[in-house]
Amino acid sequence: MPILWRHAQLATLTDDAPWGWLADGALLTIGERLVWLGRDADLPGDAEVDAEYDLEGALVTPGLVDCHTHLVYGGARADEFEARLQGVSYAEIARRGGGVLSTVRATREAADETLFAAARRRALALLAEGVTTIEIKSGYGLNFADEARCLRIIRRLGRELPLTVVATFLGAHALPPEFAGRPDDYVAEVCAWLPALAAEGLADAVDAFCETIAFSNDQARRVFDAARALGLPVKLHAEQLSDQGGAALAAGYGALSCDHLEYLNDAGARAMAAAGTIAVLLPGAFYVLRESRPPPIAALRAASVPLAVATDHNPGSSPLLSLLLAMNLACTLFRLTPEEALRGATINAARALGLADRGVLAVGKRADFVVWPLNHPRELAYWMGGCHPSRVIVGGREVCADGRVANEADLQP
Ligand code: DI6
Ligand code: FE
């Protein structure tokens, strides 16, 4: 059923023209797809449509894509927030058995319904700001049963919420207490779980945390080899707190993305460029941990590595549930331009997930788009809070902030 959306200011992001700007544009959708897009004045006169909406000059952007989150977890870590304010470092908290491991304990103890309900609430908070695709990582189970359980909850979110959910297996996130002092044995376990997780269709990609407080370069390599054997794409938490050479390693595996990158070196940036690997910037974690060394944005630009921006939502280093605020932080802290920030939260984020069908407004792409009560897309990175879409369209269907598909009460989750 064709639906026509008229009189919009379109930030299509399709080409190098600033914002892919199209004044007084129109969009035609059939089902999940955009089938026509252009100047309102050029609309084919004979188009028969089932519904027509006049957007009265409102701004329309592609649906936002949050390409790095850890939304499924139990508990919270506000106590560690207080400890860090007293001067205890993130790495020190991790060494004392807090950090990721305290969330692992809370996650293992939580019932499925508790984990699902909390993650659903978080996903809806993102959706209410125009996020139509989310990536969610496991990594707070750290044994086979709990990793599989979290991945199944991620899949259930994808089935029951009106947005696309991409699942990433992050078994190599931290060393669980059962394997203390035996990281190589744990990595062997993680690799051994992968075939069963893949057979159940639970992972779209495989990630690892390469860092002194997590896993070494060689250990990440073994995880990547196991992923490659199953045809699963890889990505890496790389160079967040120190230079481990992780980005170059991941690029050698054709990684979809390397994420964080504060300590990325030039060789790493060049390797990412050669492999087409996306740089996912996570200014929420940088801000919360009060880091002082920003990622080498100039080197990434010089090497033409596409920049993405994500929330990294997690209960430790980035309790951030606003992709718009992540865009603002990326501008203020990392000196991205507002346009880079928006491309980073749409087209380049989609590329970081290997999704070629979204992130821009163009014929043939998914009809995921957001109508904003704003005059210019630069405002998306400018306001700090309080910036809400007037309408969110996912796969051609309008969704409400509570996750219902408008006018389709029977699809309520
Ligand atoms: N890097 C991060 O930013 C998150 N995981 C990771 O490897 C933080 C996870 C946490 O502190 O719970
Ligand atoms: Fe992360």
Side-chain angles (χ1 to χ4, degrees), residues 68 70 77 80 84 90 99-101 103 137 140 170 172-174 207-211 214 237 240 260 282 285 289 312-318:
H68 181 143
H70 309 247
R77 309 227 297 269
E80 293 181 9
R84 285 199 309 276
Y90 181 69
V100 175
L101 291 187
T103 299
K137 301 173 196 298
Y140 291 118
L170 177 56
H173 189 196
D207 194 349
F209 187 15
C210 182
E211 193 52 69
H237 283 70
Q240 179 185 5
H260 287 289
L282 304 170
L289 300 181
D312 192 19
H313 176 87
N314 73 71
S317 63
S318 190

Side-chain angles (χ1 to χ4, degrees), residues 30-340:
I30 296 183
E32 290 192 339
R33 299 280 147 187
L34 282 169
V35 297
W36 190 90
L37 171 155
R39 293 196 312 148
D40 196 273
D42 296 338
L43 269 173
D46 52 356
E48 274 192 26
V49 299
D50 291 322
E52 179 173 324
Y53 300 103
D54 184 349
L55 296 177
E56 300 178 336
L59 171 70
V60 173
T61 68
L64 304 184
V65 177
D66 194 348
C67 66
H68 181 143
T69 84
H70 309 247
L71 281 193
V72 175
Y73 58 85
R77 309 227 297 269
D79 53 341
E80 293 181 9
F81 174 60
E82 285 190 311
R84 285 199 309 276
L85 294 175
Q86 300 297 324
V88 188
S89 75
Y90 181 69
E92 177 58 27
I93 289 169
R95 276 191 290 270
R96 292 179 189 173
V100 175
L101 291 187
S102 78
T103 299
V104 170
R105 286 189 290 276
T107 303
R108 288 177 177 177
E109 281 166 16
D112 288 9
E113 280 308 315
T114 309
L115 292 174
F116 176 79
R120 178 179 181 279
R121 182 178 51 73
R122 295 173 196 129
L124 290 179
L126 294 170
L127 173 70
E129 268 195 352
V131 173
T132 55
T133 300
I134 314 180
E135 184 255 22
I136 308 178
K137 301 173 196 298
S138 69
Y140 291 118
L142 305 189
N143 58 41
F144 179 74
D146 286 298
E147 284 293 304
R149 195 161 76 91
C150 291
L151 289 166
R152 288 186 198 111
I153 288 168
I154 295 169
R155 285 289 186 234
R156 182 178 164 201
L157 290 164
R159 285 193 304 275
E160 297 191 17
L161 292 177
L163 37 74
T164 303
V165 176
V166 174
T168 300
F169 171 57
L170 177 56
H173 189 196
L175 189 64
E178 308 83 78
F179 285 84
R182 297 185 295 130
D184 285 318
D185 293 350
Y186 178 65
V187 169
E189 286 279 308
V190 167
C191 296
W193 302 337
L194 254 179
L197 298 174
E200 201 182 322
L202 291 177
D204 299 309
V206 175
D207 194 349
F209 187 15
C210 182
E211 193 52 69
T212 50
I213 56 170
F215 297 96
S216 70
N217 206 297
D218 274 347
Q219 288 158 349
R221 185 194 308 276
R222 288 162 56 199
V223 174
F224 287 172
D225 283 334
R228 179 187 267 176
L230 295 162
L232 289 171
V234 301
K235 43 183 55 212
L236 191 68
H237 283 70
E239 273 70 282
Q240 179 185 5
L241 307 170
S242 60
D243 181 3
Q244 300 287 310
L249 168 74
Y253 284 79
L256 288 171
S257 70
C258 291
D259 303 43
H260 287 289
L261 299 176
E262 279 79 348
Y263 288 80
L264 179 68
N265 62 42
D266 282 349
R270 284 195 300 275
M272 288 174 66
T277 299
I278 309 295
V280 178
L281 308 174
L282 304 170
F286 178 91
Y287 166 78
V288 168
L289 300 181
R290 304 184 71 213
E291 296 289 331
S292 54
R293 173 170 161 148
I297 302 300
L300 288 164
R301 284 190 188 120
S304 299
V305 176
L307 307 177
V309 176
T311 61
D312 192 19
H313 176 87
N314 73 71
S317 63
S318 190
L320 168 63
L321 266 181
S322 167
L323 187 54
L324 294 178
L325 192 49
M327 290 164 58
N328 172 274
L329 294 172
C331 294
T332 305
L333 300 174
F334 297 165
R335 294 299 182 210
L336 263 62
T337 67
E339 184 176 355
E340 283 176 323

